[in-house]
mmCIF file with all atom_site columns, all heavy atoms in Angstrom:
data_model
loop_
_atom_site.group_PDB
_atom_site.id
_atom_site.type_symbol
_atom_site.label_atom_id
_atom_site.label_alt_id
_atom_site.label_comp_id
_atom_site.label_asym_id
_atom_site.label_entity_id
_atom_site.label_seq_id
_atom_site.pdbx_PDB_ins_code
_atom_site.Cartn_x
_atom_site.Cartn_y
_atom_site.Cartn_z
_atom_site.occupancy
_atom_site.B_iso_or_equiv
_atom_site.pdbx_formal_charge
_atom_site.auth_seq_id
_atom_site.auth_comp_id
_atom_site.auth_asym_id
_atom_site.auth_atom_id
_atom_site.pdbx_PDB_model_num
ATOM 1   N N   . ASP A 1 1  ? 4.725  -9.277  -1.566 1.00 97.00 ? 143 ASP A N   1
ATOM 2   C CA  . ASP A 1 1  ? 5.888  -8.754  -2.350 1.00 97.00 ? 143 ASP A CA  1
ATOM 3   C C   . ASP A 1 1  ? 5.776  -7.219  -2.515 1.00 97.00 ? 143 ASP A C   1
ATOM 4   O O   . ASP A 1 1  ? 6.249  -6.677  -3.535 1.00 97.00 ? 143 ASP A O   1
ATOM 5   C CB  . ASP A 1 1  ? 6.035  -9.394  -3.698 1.00 97.00 ? 143 ASP A CB  1
ATOM 6   C CG  . ASP A 1 1  ? 6.696  -10.774 -3.603 1.00 97.00 ? 143 ASP A CG  1
ATOM 7   O OD1 . ASP A 1 1  ? 7.451  -11.008 -2.627 1.00 97.00 ? 143 ASP A OD1 1
ATOM 8   O OD2 . ASP A 1 1  ? 6.411  -11.635 -4.491 1.00 97.00 ? 143 ASP A OD2 1
ATOM 9   N N   . LYS A 1 2  ? 5.202  -6.546  -1.581 1.00 97.00 ? 144 LYS A N   1
ATOM 10  C CA  . LYS A 1 2  ? 5.014  -5.080  -1.718 1.00 97.00 ? 144 LYS A CA  1
ATOM 11  C C   . LYS A 1 2  ? 5.657  -4.330  -0.543 1.00 97.00 ? 144 LYS A C   1
ATOM 12  O O   . LYS A 1 2  ? 5.266  -4.501  0.617  1.00 97.00 ? 144 LYS A O   1
ATOM 13  C CB  . LYS A 1 2  ? 3.529  -4.709  -1.761 1.00 97.00 ? 144 LYS A CB  1
ATOM 14  C CG  . LYS A 1 2  ? 2.856  -5.216  -3.034 1.00 97.00 ? 144 LYS A CG  1
ATOM 15  C CD  . LYS A 1 2  ? 1.396  -4.802  -3.057 1.00 97.00 ? 144 LYS A CD  1
ATOM 16  C CE  . LYS A 1 2  ? 0.704  -5.303  -4.400 1.00 97.00 ? 144 LYS A CE  1
ATOM 17  N NZ  . LYS A 1 2  ? -0.692 -4.933  -4.417 1.00 97.00 ? 144 LYS A NZ  1
ATOM 18  N N   . ALA A 1 3  ? 6.669  -3.531  -0.871 1.00 97.00 ? 145 ALA A N   1
ATOM 19  C CA  . ALA A 1 3  ? 7.315  -2.705  0.164  1.00 97.00 ? 145 ALA A CA  1
ATOM 20  C C   . ALA A 1 3  ? 6.292  -1.735  0.768  1.00 97.00 ? 145 ALA A C   1
ATOM 21  O O   . ALA A 1 3  ? 6.412  -1.390  1.928  1.00 97.00 ? 145 ALA A O   1
ATOM 22  C CB  . ALA A 1 3  ? 8.435  -1.904  -0.474 1.00 97.00 ? 145 ALA A CB  1
ATOM 23  N N   . GLN A 1 4  ? 5.301  -1.332  0.028  1.00 97.00 ? 146 GLN A N   1
ATOM 24  C CA  . GLN A 1 4  ? 4.301  -0.416  0.527  1.00 97.00 ? 146 GLN A CA  1
ATOM 25  C C   . GLN A 1 4  ? 3.573  -1.013  1.727  1.00 97.00 ? 146 GLN A C   1
ATOM 26  O O   . GLN A 1 4  ? 3.188  -0.297  2.641  1.00 97.00 ? 146 GLN A O   1
ATOM 27  C CB  . GLN A 1 4  ? 3.283  -0.045  -0.601 1.00 97.00 ? 146 GLN A CB  1
ATOM 28  C CG  . GLN A 1 4  ? 2.267  1.019   -0.193 1.00 97.00 ? 146 GLN A CG  1
ATOM 29  C CD  . GLN A 1 4  ? 2.926  2.367   0.116  1.00 97.00 ? 146 GLN A CD  1
ATOM 30  O OE1 . GLN A 1 4  ? 3.625  2.908   -0.782 1.00 97.00 ? 146 GLN A OE1 1
ATOM 31  N NE2 . GLN A 1 4  ? 2.713  2.896   1.290  1.00 97.00 ? 146 GLN A NE2 1
ATOM 32  N N   . SER A 1 5  ? 3.391  -2.326  1.752  1.00 98.00 ? 147 SER A N   1
ATOM 33  C CA  . SER A 1 5  ? 2.711  -2.985  2.877  1.00 98.00 ? 147 SER A CA  1
ATOM 34  C C   . SER A 1 5  ? 3.566  -2.876  4.142  1.00 98.00 ? 147 SER A C   1
ATOM 35  O O   . SER A 1 5  ? 3.063  -2.659  5.240  1.00 98.00 ? 147 SER A O   1
ATOM 36  C CB  . SER A 1 5  ? 2.471  -4.426  2.570  1.00 98.00 ? 147 SER A CB  1
ATOM 37  O OG  . SER A 1 5  ? 1.628  -4.586  1.452  1.00 98.00 ? 147 SER A OG  1
ATOM 38  N N   . VAL A 1 6  ? 4.905  -2.973  3.980  1.00 98.00 ? 148 VAL A N   1
ATOM 39  C CA  . VAL A 1 6  ? 5.809  -2.843  5.116  1.00 98.00 ? 148 VAL A CA  1
ATOM 40  C C   . VAL A 1 6  ? 5.753  -1.424  5.651  1.00 98.00 ? 148 VAL A C   1
ATOM 41  O O   . VAL A 1 6  ? 5.656  -1.179  6.857  1.00 98.00 ? 148 VAL A O   1
ATOM 42  C CB  . VAL A 1 6  ? 7.248  -3.207  4.698  1.00 98.00 ? 148 VAL A CB  1
ATOM 43  C CG1 . VAL A 1 6  ? 8.189  -2.969  5.856  1.00 98.00 ? 148 VAL A CG1 1
ATOM 44  C CG2 . VAL A 1 6  ? 7.310  -4.658  4.245  1.00 98.00 ? 148 VAL A CG2 1
ATOM 45  N N   . LEU A 1 7  ? 5.793  -0.454  4.757  1.00 98.00 ? 149 LEU A N   1
ATOM 46  C CA  . LEU A 1 7  ? 5.705  0.957   5.180  1.00 98.00 ? 149 LEU A CA  1
ATOM 47  C C   . LEU A 1 7  ? 4.366  1.224   5.841  1.00 98.00 ? 149 LEU A C   1
ATOM 48  O O   . LEU A 1 7  ? 4.315  1.983   6.828  1.00 98.00 ? 149 LEU A O   1
ATOM 49  C CB  . LEU A 1 7  ? 5.883  1.891   3.965  1.00 98.00 ? 149 LEU A CB  1
ATOM 50  C CG  . LEU A 1 7  ? 5.882  3.375   4.272  1.00 98.00 ? 149 LEU A CG  1
ATOM 51  C CD1 . LEU A 1 7  ? 6.943  3.728   5.269  1.00 98.00 ? 149 LEU A CD1 1
ATOM 52  C CD2 . LEU A 1 7  ? 6.054  4.182   2.977  1.00 98.00 ? 149 LEU A CD2 1
ATOM 53  N N   . GLY A 1 8  ? 3.315  0.607   5.378  1.00 98.00 ? 150 GLY A N   1
ATOM 54  C CA  . GLY A 1 8  ? 2.000  0.784   6.038  1.00 98.00 ? 150 GLY A CA  1
ATOM 55  C C   . GLY A 1 8  ? 2.029  0.279   7.439  1.00 98.00 ? 150 GLY A C   1
ATOM 56  O O   . GLY A 1 8  ? 1.462  0.894   8.363  1.00 98.00 ? 150 GLY A O   1
ATOM 57  N N   . ALA A 1 9  ? 2.678  -0.853  7.696  1.00 98.00 ? 151 ALA A N   1
ATOM 58  C CA  . ALA A 1 9  ? 2.772  -1.403  9.057  1.00 98.00 ? 151 ALA A CA  1
ATOM 59  C C   . ALA A 1 9  ? 3.576  -0.441  9.950  1.00 98.00 ? 151 ALA A C   1
ATOM 60  O O   . ALA A 1 9  ? 3.177  -0.186  11.092 1.00 98.00 ? 151 ALA A O   1
ATOM 61  C CB  . ALA A 1 9  ? 3.421  -2.794  9.023  1.00 98.00 ? 151 ALA A CB  1
ATOM 62  N N   . LEU A 1 10 ? 4.671  0.062   9.397  1.00 98.00 ? 152 LEU A N   1
ATOM 63  C CA  . LEU A 1 10 ? 5.481  1.006   10.195 1.00 98.00 ? 152 LEU A CA  1
ATOM 64  C C   . LEU A 1 10 ? 4.754  2.314   10.483 1.00 98.00 ? 152 LEU A C   1
ATOM 65  O O   . LEU A 1 10 ? 4.859  2.872   11.583 1.00 98.00 ? 152 LEU A O   1
ATOM 66  C CB  . LEU A 1 10 ? 6.791  1.281   9.422  1.00 98.00 ? 152 LEU A CB  1
ATOM 67  C CG  . LEU A 1 10 ? 7.748  0.115   9.257  1.00 98.00 ? 152 LEU A CG  1
ATOM 68  C CD1 . LEU A 1 10 ? 8.860  0.463   8.267  1.00 98.00 ? 152 LEU A CD1 1
ATOM 69  C CD2 . LEU A 1 10 ? 8.353  -0.286  10.611 1.00 98.00 ? 152 LEU A CD2 1
ATOM 70  N N   . SER A 1 11 ? 3.948  2.795   9.555  1.00 98.00 ? 153 SER A N   1
ATOM 71  C CA  . SER A 1 11 ? 3.179  3.992   9.740  1.00 98.00 ? 153 SER A CA  1
ATOM 72  C C   . SER A 1 11 ? 2.131  3.805   10.821 1.00 98.00 ? 153 SER A C   1
ATOM 73  O O   . SER A 1 11 ? 1.912  4.689   11.656 1.00 98.00 ? 153 SER A O   1
ATOM 74  C CB  . SER A 1 11 ? 2.500  4.395   8.431  1.00 98.00 ? 153 SER A CB  1
ATOM 75  O OG  . SER A 1 11 ? 3.472  4.659   7.426  1.00 98.00 ? 153 SER A OG  1
ATOM 76  N N   . GLY A 1 12 ? 1.541  2.607   10.837 1.00 98.00 ? 154 GLY A N   1
ATOM 77  C CA  . GLY A 1 12 ? 0.564  2.274   11.904 1.00 98.00 ? 154 GLY A CA  1
ATOM 78  C C   . GLY A 1 12 ? 1.259  2.269   13.273 1.00 98.00 ? 154 GLY A C   1
ATOM 79  O O   . GLY A 1 12 ? 0.646  2.662   14.265 1.00 98.00 ? 154 GLY A O   1
ATOM 80  N N   . TYR A 1 13 ? 2.465  1.800   13.339 1.00 98.00 ? 155 TYR A N   1
ATOM 81  C CA  . TYR A 1 13 ? 3.265  1.782   14.582 1.00 98.00 ? 155 TYR A CA  1
ATOM 82  C C   . TYR A 1 13 ? 3.470  3.206   15.088 1.00 98.00 ? 155 TYR A C   1
ATOM 83  O O   . TYR A 1 13 ? 3.328  3.485   16.333 1.00 98.00 ? 155 TYR A O   1
ATOM 84  C CB  . TYR A 1 13 ? 4.587  1.117   14.315 1.00 98.00 ? 155 TYR A CB  1
ATOM 85  C CG  . TYR A 1 13 ? 5.410  0.745   15.532 1.00 98.00 ? 155 TYR A CG  1
ATOM 86  C CD1 . TYR A 1 13 ? 4.824  0.280   16.716 1.00 98.00 ? 155 TYR A CD1 1
ATOM 87  C CD2 . TYR A 1 13 ? 6.790  0.804   15.487 1.00 98.00 ? 155 TYR A CD2 1
ATOM 88  C CE1 . TYR A 1 13 ? 5.595  -0.111  17.788 1.00 98.00 ? 155 TYR A CE1 1
ATOM 89  C CE2 . TYR A 1 13 ? 7.581  0.447   16.590 1.00 98.00 ? 155 TYR A CE2 1
ATOM 90  C CZ  . TYR A 1 13 ? 6.967  -0.022  17.743 1.00 98.00 ? 155 TYR A CZ  1
ATOM 91  O OH  . TYR A 1 13 ? 7.739  -0.417  18.804 1.00 98.00 ? 155 TYR A OH  1
ATOM 92  N N   . LEU A 1 14 ? 3.757  4.120   14.188 1.00 98.00 ? 156 LEU A N   1
ATOM 93  C CA  . LEU A 1 14 ? 3.968  5.536   14.596 1.00 98.00 ? 156 LEU A CA  1
ATOM 94  C C   . LEU A 1 14 ? 2.635  6.106   15.127 1.00 98.00 ? 156 LEU A C   1
ATOM 95  O O   . LEU A 1 14 ? 2.617  6.841   16.126 1.00 98.00 ? 156 LEU A O   1
ATOM 96  C CB  . LEU A 1 14 ? 4.418  6.371   13.381 1.00 98.00 ? 156 LEU A CB  1
ATOM 97  C CG  . LEU A 1 14 ? 5.818  6.016   12.868 1.00 98.00 ? 156 LEU A CG  1
ATOM 98  C CD1 . LEU A 1 14 ? 6.113  6.807   11.580 1.00 98.00 ? 156 LEU A CD1 1
ATOM 99  C CD2 . LEU A 1 14 ? 6.914  6.255   13.894 1.00 98.00 ? 156 LEU A CD2 1
ATOM 100 N N   . ARG A 1 15 ? 1.515  5.818   14.462 1.00 98.00 ? 157 ARG A N   1
ATOM 101 C CA  . ARG A 1 15 ? 0.245  6.340   14.926 1.00 98.00 ? 157 ARG A CA  1
ATOM 102 C C   . ARG A 1 15 ? -0.099 5.766   16.273 1.00 98.00 ? 157 ARG A C   1
ATOM 103 O O   . ARG A 1 15 ? -0.590 6.487   17.171 1.00 98.00 ? 157 ARG A O   1
ATOM 104 C CB  . ARG A 1 15 ? -0.849 6.011   13.936 1.00 98.00 ? 157 ARG A CB  1
ATOM 105 C CG  . ARG A 1 15 ? -0.774 6.767   12.614 1.00 98.00 ? 157 ARG A CG  1
ATOM 106 C CD  . ARG A 1 15 ? -2.044 6.627   11.780 1.00 98.00 ? 157 ARG A CD  1
ATOM 107 N NE  . ARG A 1 15 ? -2.225 5.229   11.326 1.00 98.00 ? 157 ARG A NE  1
ATOM 108 C CZ  . ARG A 1 15 ? -1.683 4.743   10.196 1.00 98.00 ? 157 ARG A CZ  1
ATOM 109 N NH1 . ARG A 1 15 ? -0.986 5.499   9.433  1.00 98.00 ? 157 ARG A NH1 1
ATOM 110 N NH2 . ARG A 1 15 ? -1.917 3.475   9.869  1.00 98.00 ? 157 ARG A NH2 1
ATOM 111 N N   . HIS A 1 16 ? 0.181  4.488   16.496 1.00 97.00 ? 158 HIS A N   1
ATOM 112 C CA  . HIS A 1 16 ? -0.118 3.826   17.781 1.00 97.00 ? 158 HIS A CA  1
ATOM 113 C C   . HIS A 1 16 ? 0.668  4.506   18.915 1.00 97.00 ? 158 HIS A C   1
ATOM 114 O O   . HIS A 1 16 ? 0.152  4.679   20.005 1.00 97.00 ? 158 HIS A O   1
ATOM 115 C CB  . HIS A 1 16 ? 0.258  2.356   17.673 1.00 97.00 ? 158 HIS A CB  1
ATOM 116 C CG  . HIS A 1 16 ? 0.120  1.635   18.984 1.00 97.00 ? 158 HIS A CG  1
ATOM 117 N ND1 . HIS A 1 16 ? -1.077 1.263   19.542 1.00 97.00 ? 158 HIS A ND1 1
ATOM 118 C CD2 . HIS A 1 16 ? 1.081  1.167   19.873 1.00 97.00 ? 158 HIS A CD2 1
ATOM 119 C CE1 . HIS A 1 16 ? -0.923 0.629   20.694 1.00 97.00 ? 158 HIS A CE1 1
ATOM 120 N NE2 . HIS A 1 16 ? 0.435  0.586   20.923 1.00 97.00 ? 158 HIS A NE2 1
ATOM 121 N N   . GLY A 1 17 ? 1.913  4.910   18.629 1.00 97.00 ? 159 GLY A N   1
ATOM 122 C CA  . GLY A 1 17 ? 2.760  5.559   19.650 1.00 97.00 ? 159 GLY A CA  1
ATOM 123 C C   . GLY A 1 17 ? 2.585  7.038   19.728 1.00 97.00 ? 159 GLY A C   1
ATOM 124 O O   . GLY A 1 17 ? 3.297  7.727   20.459 1.00 97.00 ? 159 GLY A O   1
ATOM 125 N N   . LYS A 1 18 ? 1.597  7.556   18.921 1.00 98.00 ? 160 LYS A N   1
ATOM 126 C CA  . LYS A 1 18 ? 1.349  9.016   18.938 1.00 98.00 ? 160 LYS A CA  1
ATOM 127 C C   . LYS A 1 18 ? 2.573  9.844   18.620 1.00 98.00 ? 160 LYS A C   1
ATOM 128 O O   . LYS A 1 18 ? 2.828  10.901  19.198 1.00 98.00 ? 160 LYS A O   1
ATOM 129 C CB  . LYS A 1 18 ? 0.695  9.452   20.241 1.00 98.00 ? 160 LYS A CB  1
ATOM 130 C CG  . LYS A 1 18 ? -0.620 8.739   20.568 1.00 98.00 ? 160 LYS A CG  1
ATOM 131 C CD  . LYS A 1 18 ? -1.213 9.191   21.872 1.00 98.00 ? 160 LYS A CD  1
ATOM 132 C CE  . LYS A 1 18 ? -2.544 8.441   22.124 1.00 98.00 ? 160 LYS A CE  1
ATOM 133 N NZ  . LYS A 1 18 ? -3.168 8.819   23.453 1.00 98.00 ? 160 LYS A NZ  1
ATOM 134 N N   . VAL A 1 19 ? 3.384  9.322   17.679 1.00 98.00 ? 161 VAL A N   1
ATOM 135 C CA  . VAL A 1 19 ? 4.610  10.058  17.267 1.00 98.00 ? 161 VAL A CA  1
ATOM 136 C C   . VAL A 1 19 ? 4.184  11.203  16.378 1.00 98.00 ? 161 VAL A C   1
ATOM 137 O O   . VAL A 1 19 ? 3.347  11.054  15.465 1.00 98.00 ? 161 VAL A O   1
ATOM 138 C CB  . VAL A 1 19 ? 5.513  9.088   16.504 1.00 98.00 ? 161 VAL A CB  1
ATOM 139 C CG1 . VAL A 1 19 ? 6.706  9.830   15.920 1.00 98.00 ? 161 VAL A CG1 1
ATOM 140 C CG2 . VAL A 1 19 ? 6.002  7.964   17.423 1.00 98.00 ? 161 VAL A CG2 1
ATOM 141 N N   . LYS A 1 20 ? 4.751  12.378  16.653 1.00 98.00 ? 162 LYS A N   1
ATOM 142 C CA  . LYS A 1 20 ? 4.533  13.544  15.808 1.00 98.00 ? 162 LYS A CA  1
ATOM 143 C C   . LYS A 1 20 ? 5.485  13.431  14.620 1.00 98.00 ? 162 LYS A C   1
ATOM 144 O O   . LYS A 1 20 ? 6.691  13.494  14.768 1.00 98.00 ? 162 LYS A O   1
ATOM 145 C CB  . LYS A 1 20 ? 4.806  14.826  16.619 1.00 98.00 ? 162 LYS A CB  1
ATOM 146 C CG  . LYS A 1 20 ? 3.923  15.046  17.800 1.00 98.00 ? 162 LYS A CG  1
ATOM 147 C CD  . LYS A 1 20 ? 2.458  15.276  17.411 1.00 98.00 ? 162 LYS A CD  1
ATOM 148 C CE  . LYS A 1 20 ? 1.618  15.623  18.625 1.00 98.00 ? 162 LYS A CE  1
ATOM 149 N NZ  . LYS A 1 20 ? 0.194  15.883  18.260 1.00 98.00 ? 162 LYS A NZ  1
ATOM 150 N N   . VAL A 1 21 ? 4.900  13.320  13.446 1.00 98.00 ? 163 VAL A N   1
ATOM 151 C CA  . VAL A 1 21 ? 5.749  13.149  12.238 1.00 98.00 ? 163 VAL A CA  1
ATOM 152 C C   . VAL A 1 21 ? 5.707  14.415  11.431 1.00 98.00 ? 163 VAL A C   1
ATOM 153 O O   . VAL A 1 21 ? 4.648  14.999  11.123 1.00 98.00 ? 163 VAL A O   1
ATOM 154 C CB  . VAL A 1 21 ? 5.178  11.997  11.351 1.00 98.00 ? 163 VAL A CB  1
ATOM 155 C CG1 . VAL A 1 21 ? 5.978  11.829  10.075 1.00 98.00 ? 163 VAL A CG1 1
ATOM 156 C CG2 . VAL A 1 21 ? 5.193  10.673  12.136 1.00 98.00 ? 163 VAL A CG2 1
ATOM 157 N N   . ALA A 1 22 ? 6.888  14.923  11.086 1.00 97.00 ? 164 ALA A N   1
ATOM 158 C CA  . ALA A 1 22 ? 7.023  16.093  10.249 1.00 97.00 ? 164 ALA A CA  1
ATOM 159 C C   . ALA A 1 22 ? 7.823  15.766  8.997  1.00 97.00 ? 164 ALA A C   1
ATOM 160 O O   . ALA A 1 22 ? 9.050  15.551  9.078  1.00 97.00 ? 164 ALA A O   1
ATOM 161 C CB  . ALA A 1 22 ? 7.696  17.250  11.045 1.00 97.00 ? 164 ALA A CB  1
ATOM 162 N N   . CYS A 1 23 ? 7.148  15.613  7.849  1.00 97.00 ? 165 CYS A N   1
ATOM 163 C CA  . CYS A 1 23 ? 7.822  15.413  6.576  1.00 97.00 ? 165 CYS A CA  1
ATOM 164 C C   . CYS A 1 23 ? 8.081  16.765  5.958  1.00 97.00 ? 165 CYS A C   1
ATOM 165 O O   . CYS A 1 23 ? 7.417  17.744  6.251  1.00 97.00 ? 165 CYS A O   1
ATOM 166 C CB  . CYS A 1 23 ? 6.983  14.534  5.709  1.00 97.00 ? 165 CYS A CB  1
ATOM 167 S SG  . CYS A 1 23 ? 6.791  12.831  6.316  1.00 97.00 ? 165 CYS A SG  1
ATOM 168 N N   . GLY A 1 24 ? 9.082  16.784  5.069  1.00 96.00 ? 166 GLY A N   1
ATOM 169 C CA  . GLY A 1 24 ? 9.496  18.062  4.502  1.00 96.00 ? 166 GLY A CA  1
ATOM 170 C C   . GLY A 1 24 ? 10.177 18.944  5.540  1.00 96.00 ? 166 GLY A C   1
ATOM 171 O O   . GLY A 1 24 ? 10.272 20.178  5.347  1.00 96.00 ? 166 GLY A O   1
ATOM 172 N N   . ALA A 1 25 ? 10.637 18.324  6.626  1.00 96.00 ? 167 ALA A N   1
ATOM 173 C CA  . ALA A 1 25 ? 11.313 19.038  7.691  1.00 96.00 ? 167 ALA A CA  1
ATOM 174 C C   . ALA A 1 25 ? 12.778 18.788  7.676  1.00 96.00 ? 167 ALA A C   1
ATOM 175 O O   . ALA A 1 25 ? 13.276 17.824  8.325  1.00 96.00 ? 167 ALA A O   1
ATOM 176 C CB  . ALA A 1 25 ? 10.698 18.670  9.028  1.00 96.00 ? 167 ALA A CB  1
ATOM 177 N N   . GLY A 1 26 ? 13.546 19.571  6.914  1.00 95.00 ? 168 GLY A N   1
ATOM 178 C CA  . GLY A 1 26 ? 14.971 19.385  6.840  1.00 95.00 ? 168 GLY A CA  1
ATOM 179 C C   . GLY A 1 26 ? 15.640 19.929  8.109  1.00 95.00 ? 168 GLY A C   1
ATOM 180 O O   . GLY A 1 26 ? 15.385 21.030  8.553  1.00 95.00 ? 168 GLY A O   1
#
């Protein structure tokens, strides 16, 4: 029952695909 767990899985997916993530990038 934790949304944080879902976000963790998605974050792992980004790392696996070597996606360049830029937060604070409007």
Side-chain angles (χ1 to χ4, degrees):
D143 283 333
K144 292 181 179 178
Q146 186 64 57
S147 299
V148 176
L149 182 57
L152 293 169
S153 300
Y155 193 36
L156 294 174
R157 289 191 295 271
H158 175 75
K160 299 180 180 178
V161 174
K162 299 292 185 180
V163 178
C165 293

